[in-house]
Amino acid sequence: MYPGLFPGQLLATSLMLLVAEGVPTVRITNGNGTRFVAAVGKSVELECTVTGISDSKDVQLRWQYVGDFSIDPVILGSTGYYSVTQVVQSRNMRVITLQTADVRYEYEGYYYCHLQTAEGNYTDYVELRVEGVPVFDLNQTTPPGELASTLQDTLDIVCTVNARPGAAMQWFMNGTLLYSSARGYTISTTEPLLGTVTSSTLSVFPLTREQLGNYSCVAKNIRGQARTEWWVTAVPRLTVVSPETNGSRVNLGDELTVQCKGVNLGNGGKITWSFSSNGAAWTTLTGGNIVAWTDTMGAINSQLSVTYSHYSSQGIYRCSWNTMFQSVFIRIVGPPVVTLSTTTVTALPGDAVTLTCRVNANPRPTTLGWFYRNQELGNSTKYTVYRTYITGDLYSQTTLTIDPMEETDYGNKYKCVANNVQGRDTENVTLRDVNECVTGEATCEWDQHEICVDTLGSYECHCGTGFDRRDGICTATTAAPVDVNQCKVDHQCDQTCVNYFGSFRCECMADFLLQADMVTCLPVSSFMVSPVTGSSTQPPAGATAGGNNVLAIGLGVGITVVIVAIVVIIVVIVCRRRGNRERELIDIPKPKPSPTPGLYNSAYSVNDDEAHIYSELAPTGNEFPRGRLRFLNSLGEGKFGRVVMAEALSINKTGKWEEVAVKMVKETATDAVKEDFYHELTIVRKLSTHPNVVAFLGCVTASDPVLMIMEYVNGGDLLTFLRKRRPEKTPEKTSEEEALTPKDMLSFALQIARGMAHIAAQKIIHRDVAARNVLIDRKHVCKVSDFGLARDVEGADVYERTNKGPLPIRWMAPESLRDSIHTSKSDVWSFGVLLWEIVTLGSSPYPGMSGQQVMTSVLEGKKLVCPPQCNKDLYGIMSRCWNDSDTSRPTFDILSRDFERILEDEGDYIQLNQMEEGIYQVLEGMRPEEKL
Ligand code: ACK
C-alpha cells in the first residue's frame, strides 16, 4: 500500500469537515514529519492527540496499521505486540498512544490514528521504518543444525534476513568463502526492492562426499552482522530407477528389468532382491539375472531381469539394503494360460465328477467354458458349469460337474477354453474308468485262486489258470498232485515265493501289487494312470531262462513229470502274459530292496564299489517318496540312461499330480555311468532355480534305481525343434510346425545366455552347451538342461578333465581340446557354436569334416564360417565367443545384454530367405569318440 492514496483521501475528508465545521483535529505528535525511524529491538511509542470534540461525545478513536505489502488496514488493540491506551486530557482533548517494547522489522508500515464521529472521519498517519543489525527470519531460513542429505542429490540451503540498510550475504564452507562456481555451488540472492528482506540460497549439486561439512551464512550491514550454521551429513538412500512408474505393465513372456540405486551405502554395500506375489510371503531372489555395479559417483546399482513367462511373476519386487527397501509392483498382461489339476479323471458309473479348470489371464477371459466335441456345454440335467473370477482380472476358474457319470462317458474328452483379447488357450481332460483291481476296491480272493480282471465301470473275479469255478469256488481242474516245493524247484516270482500245496504263490512288498500273471510285482503308482505304450518290448530275461531251468530239472519220476508239465504250462502262460503286460507299461526298474540272498533279483545286489557312491548321496531334503511317482511314457533313452515323463504327487506342494520328467540310469549301466549320473545329481541339487534352466524338483536316492526328478518341458530339445522348422521339407518336418522368425531365434539366444549366466554365477561349468541340451516349451521358453558333463568349480574356476567318455568335439574350445581345461569361458565358446546352430536351424557344426579334422582345424585357429543368412553383427558376437584367448571372450552377462540390445533394435540379423541348402547337413549316428 502506498500511503498517498489511503491517507490522502482521509485527509481530504477531514479537511473538508474542518472547513465546514472547523472543529476536530487529529495529529500524531511524535515522528519526523510523516516518517518515524526506530532502532530494531527498542521500544516505540506513537502518540495521537485529538482536539475539538467534547468529552461527552460518542466517537471512535483507534490506531490502524497497513503493512508495506498489504492494502487492508488492521485495527490495533492491546494484544500481541502492542499496547494501546486512550485518555481524555481535558474537556475537548483526547490522547491515544500506541506502544511496543521491542520493535521488529516486520512492524514497518503505516500507522493511522483514526477518528470516526457521526459527522465524519478524521485521520493522521506516520510511516514507521526500523533500522539496525540483520536479523534472521527463521520461517524463511533452513533450520540451522544438522542437515542430513543424500549424496548425488541437490542440496539447497536458504538463508533469509531482515535488515535496514539491506544486508550483504556471504556463504562459507568449513570457513572458506564460497562463490557461485563450477565447483558444484550456486548462490542466488534476492535483494529487497522494498522492505528489509534479503534471501540467499546456496545450491550444491550433486552433493559429493567432499562437500559434507560445516556451512554458514553471514549477513552484514553497517550496523552489524548475523551468522547461522548447518552441519551437512550424508544418509544412505535407496531409490527405484526403473521402471519409473509403479504398477508398470509387462506382456506375458516379455522381460523387464527393475533397477535400484543406493547411495551412501558404505563400502561393500549390497542390494538384495525379494519378491512377493499377491501378498504371499517374500522370496529372496538370487542368481545370474541380478547384475550389480558401482557407478562413477560411487552409487551402487542393482538390476534384476525378470522374464515374465508365468502369471505367478506378477507381484511386488523389492530391493533392500539393511533395513531400507523400495518396492515396485509389476502387472502382467497376456493371453490366458489354462491349467488343469489333472488331464485324466477316473470315476465309476453313477459318480458325480467335477472337472476344474484354472485360468490365468489379463485382461480377464471373455470366453471361459467347457466344450465337448466343439459344442460349448451349458447347464443341463447332466452338466453344471460354474465360473468364478477371483482376485481382479488375473485368476479365473470354471468347473464342470458331470452327474451322473455313465459308461458311455469313458474316453470322452472335455476341453476347457479361455479367450481374451490377447489370445486363447485350451486343455483337455479325459474321463477314465477306475481300475478297481489296483485301487484295492476289488474283493477277489487271490488265496482262493481268484484273479481280478478290470472291466468298464467294474471288475470281475476270475479263477486262475488250472482252476474252474465249482459251486462258486475256484477248484483245481486236475486231481491234487503230490506236493513239490515249487519255490525251490524254480519259482518265477518277482519278489517273494511262498510254496503251498501243489503250487506256489508270489508275494509282493508293500506298495507293490501282484499282477494278473500272479508273478510280476509292479509299483502301485505305475497303475494310477492308464498305461501309455512303453519302450521295452523284451520280456525280462529270467522268464525264458526260468522255463528252461524247469525243463532242465530232469525229474525222472512219472508223476513228477506230470507236475512239471503243469508247471511248464503255467510258466508259458505266465511268460506270454508277462510279455504282453511289459509291452503296455514302461519298464521302470523295480526298487532295490535290502540284499537278502534268494529272495530278490540278484541284478540289484549292492557291491562295494557302489557303496561309496551312495555315501555321497546323503539325504538333503530333496528326497521324494518313490510311491508318489507314476510313470507315463518314455521321452527318450540312450545306451545307459533314459528320461521318462511321469507324474509326481504334490512335488510342488500343489496337492495334485504334477507332470515331471524323471531321469535314471539303466540297470545295465556301467559303474562309471552311474557315477556320472550321481555327479549330475549333486550338481543340479545345488543349482538355484532360473526360468532358463531346467528346474531340479527332487530325487529318489534311498533305493535303486536312483531317480532325478526335473521340471517337465513340453517342447523337446532345441536341436530337433529347430530342424523341424526348416523352410524346406525334411522327414522331421511336420506340417503344423509354425515357421520361426529371426526374433524367435534371437530370443532363444538371449534366454540361453541368461540361463548360462545363472549357471556360471553358481560356479558351475556345463561343458556340454549345445542345442541338443537345451529344452524348449510350447511358449518358446528355452531351458538349459543336461548337466551330465557339468562340473562344480566353487573356488577354482577351472576344471581339468581326467576321465574318458564321448566328447562334444564340435562344441569344444581349443584349450579344452588341447589340455582338457574347462572354464565358463570354454562354455562361452560352445555357446558361440550353439548360436551357429540356431542361425542354421540345427545344422551340424563343421559340416563335411570328421571329428579329428574338426579338432585339428580348431587347434589351428580356424573358425566356423559366417552362414549367408547371418549378418556381420551377429557373426561378430559368435566370433567373440571363439576368441583364441579365453579371457577376451565375453561373459554370459555381456552376451545377455548384447542380445537384449539386438532384440530391441530390430535389425536384419538373420535373413531366413538367404538360407543355403548345403548348410543343412546333419551328421547322423553316434561316433564312439564324439557327441553329435
Ligand atoms: O528331444 P527330446 O524330446 O527332449 O528327447 C530328449 C530325451 O528326454 C532324452 O534326453 C527329453 N527330456 C530330457 N529332459 C527333459 C525334461 N526335463 N522335460 C522334457 N523332456 C526332457 C529330451
Side-chain angles (χ1 to χ4, degrees), residues 635-637 643 661 694 710-714 716-717 720 775 785-786:
L635 292 167
E637 59 183 270
V643 181
V694 172
M710 295 168 295
E711 164 192 19
Y712 171 65
V713 186
N714 57 16
D717 69 277
T720 315
L775 297 173
S785 91
D786 208 328

Side-chain angles (χ1 to χ4, degrees), residues 446-447 449 467 483-484 486 498-505:
W446 67 268
D447 52 350
H449 313 290
F467 292 88
D483 188 22
V484 171
Q486 298 299 330
V498 179
N499 184 60
Y500 77 103
F501 189 74
S503 186
F504 63 90
R505 70 164 192 260

Side-chain angles (χ1 to χ4, degrees), residues 594-649:
S594 62
T596 313
L599 273 184
Y600 300 108
N601 187 338
S602 63
Y604 284 107
S605 63
V606 177
N607 64 36
D608 288 342
D609 288 346
E610 281 179 28
H612 84 275
I613 297 168
Y614 280 109
S615 64
E616 270 182 44
L617 292 165
T620 60
N622 307 115
E623 192 71 19
F624 190 74
R626 194 185 291 272
R628 276 165 52 193
L629 278 174
R630 55 191 190 192
F631 296 97
L632 303 172
N633 49 314
S634 170
L635 292 167
E637 59 183 270
K639 200 165 168 202
F640 297 115
R642 64 160 48 151
V643 181
V644 177
M645 185 181 172
E647 287 182 316
L649 182 60

Side-chain angles (χ1 to χ4, degrees), residues 151-167:
L151 294 180
Q152 293 196 29
D153 266 12
T154 303
L155 170 69
D156 284 343
I157 313 178
V158 182
C159 173
T160 308
V161 290
N162 283 290
R164 187 178 290 282

Side-chain angles (χ1 to χ4, degrees), residues 170-217:
Q170 285 179 320
W171 288 91
F172 295 86
M173 193 257 162
N174 289 344
T176 307
L177 182 62
L178 298 177
Y179 299 95
S180 258
S181 72
R183 277 181 45 224
Y185 295 108
T186 313
I187 297 171
S188 61
T189 305
T190 52
E191 282 167 22
L193 287 174
L194 181 75
T196 56
V197 181
T198 303
S199 185
S200 182
T201 303
L202 173 72
S203 295
V204 190
F205 175 74
L207 179 66
T208 61
R209 197 166 287 285
E210 296 70 46
Q211 286 167 318
L212 303 177
N214 182 281
Y215 284 79
S216 54
C217 164

Side-chain angles (χ1 to χ4, degrees), residues 812-830:
M812 280 167 70
E815 70 273 22
S816 312
L817 290 171
R818 192 187 313 108
D819 304 317
S820 295
I821 298 283
H822 298 268
T823 60
S824 287
K825 288 299 178 81
S826 53
D827 277 350
V828 168
W829 175 290
S830 314

Side-chain angles (χ1 to χ4, degrees), residues 683 687 693 749 752-774 784-793 797-799 801 808 810-817 820-837 877-878 880-883 885-887 889-893 895 899:
I683 298 266
L687 251 179
V693 178
I752 300 163
R754 284 193 182 139
M756 285 308 301
H758 177 76
I759 291 166
Q762 312 239 320
K763 296 272 180 202
I764 288 169
I765 304 171
H766 189 287
R767 298 206 305 143
D768 201 0
V769 178
R772 63 179 169 273
N773 288 331
V774 172
V784 179
S785 91
D786 208 328
F787 291 82
L789 288 184
R791 287 298 176 270
D792 176 351
V793 288
D797 285 332
V798 179
Y799 168 74
R801 180 175 183 270
R810 289 161 205 271
W811 286 262
M812 280 167 70
E815 70 273 22
S816 312
L817 290 171
S820 295
I821 298 283
H822 298 268
T823 60
S824 287
K825 288 299 178 81
S826 53
D827 277 350
V828 168
W829 175 290
S830 314
F831 175 81
V833 181
L834 196 167
L835 286 180
W836 189 92
E837 289 183 277
I877 296 183
M878 291 179 202
R880 282 198 288 133
C881 297
W882 301 326
N883 203 310
S885 148
D886 61 352
T887 49
R889 294 173 206 154
T891 61
F892 284 112
D893 279 323
L895 285 163
F899 281 103

Side-chain angles (χ1 to χ4, degrees), residues 270-477:
K270 186 168 180 249
I271 297 174
T272 56
W273 290 92
S274 44
F275 169 72
S276 166
S277 136
N278 242 348
W282 289 96
T283 318
T284 306
L285 305 175
T286 51
N289 49 348
I290 299 173
V291 186
W293 70 97
T294 305
D295 66 21
T296 48
M297 302 296 295
I300 293 171
N301 289 268
S302 182
Q303 184 178 290
L304 169 76
S305 306
V306 184
T307 304
Y308 293 86
S309 16
H310 300 285
Y311 281 100
S312 56
S313 310
Q314 170 168 307
I316 304 167
Y317 289 82
R318 183 160 98 171
C319 58
S320 318
W321 177 81
N322 268 357
T323 52
M324 283 182 176
F325 61 83
Q326 290 293 335
S327 305
V328 63
F329 179 71
I330 307 288
R331 173 174 273 277
I332 298 176
V333 178
V337 177
V338 169
T339 322
L340 296 173
S341 44
T342 172
T343 50
T344 49
V345 169
T346 51
L348 290 172
D351 280 357
V353 177
T354 298
L355 312 177
T356 305
C357 171
R358 197 151 183 225
V359 180
N360 289 121
N362 193 11
R364 115 185 177 172
T366 41
T367 307
L368 176 63
W370 291 91
F371 285 70
Y372 176 61
R373 293 197 173 146
N374 291 331
Q375 290 290 313
E376 182 161 14
L377 298 175
N379 289 332
S380 65
T381 46
K382 178 158 180 170
Y383 299 116
T384 316
V385 180
Y386 276 112
R387 288 180 190 80
T388 333
Y389 298 94
I390 314 162
T391 333
D393 294 331
L394 213 50
Y395 301 106
S396 2
Q397 181 174 304
T398 176
T399 57
L400 171 68
T401 303
I402 305 164
D403 189 11
M405 168 87 188
E406 290 163 282
E407 278 187 13
T408 48
D409 292 330
Y410 290 129
N412 283 359
K413 274 193 164 72
Y414 293 90
K415 188 187 273 185
C416 172
V417 177
N419 275 339
N420 71 2
V421 281
Q422 304 268 337
R424 165 190 161 93
D425 196 17
T426 65
E427 286 291 346
N428 286 315
V429 191
T430 310
L431 297 182
R432 289 196 192 282
D433 180 22
V434 173
N435 186 342
E436 294 86 349
C437 296
V438 296
T439 56
E441 288 162 71
T443 54
C444 301
E445 293 181 31
W446 67 268
D447 52 350
Q448 299 301 317
H449 313 290
E450 283 187 341
I451 297 169
C452 180
V453 176
D454 184 45
T455 61
L456 207 59
S458 184
Y459 68 95
E460 288 166 6
C461 299
H462 290 200
C463 287
T465 312
F467 292 88
D468 279 340
R469 197 171 290 280
R470 285 185 217 150
D471 300 329
I473 297 167
C474 293
T475 316
T477 41

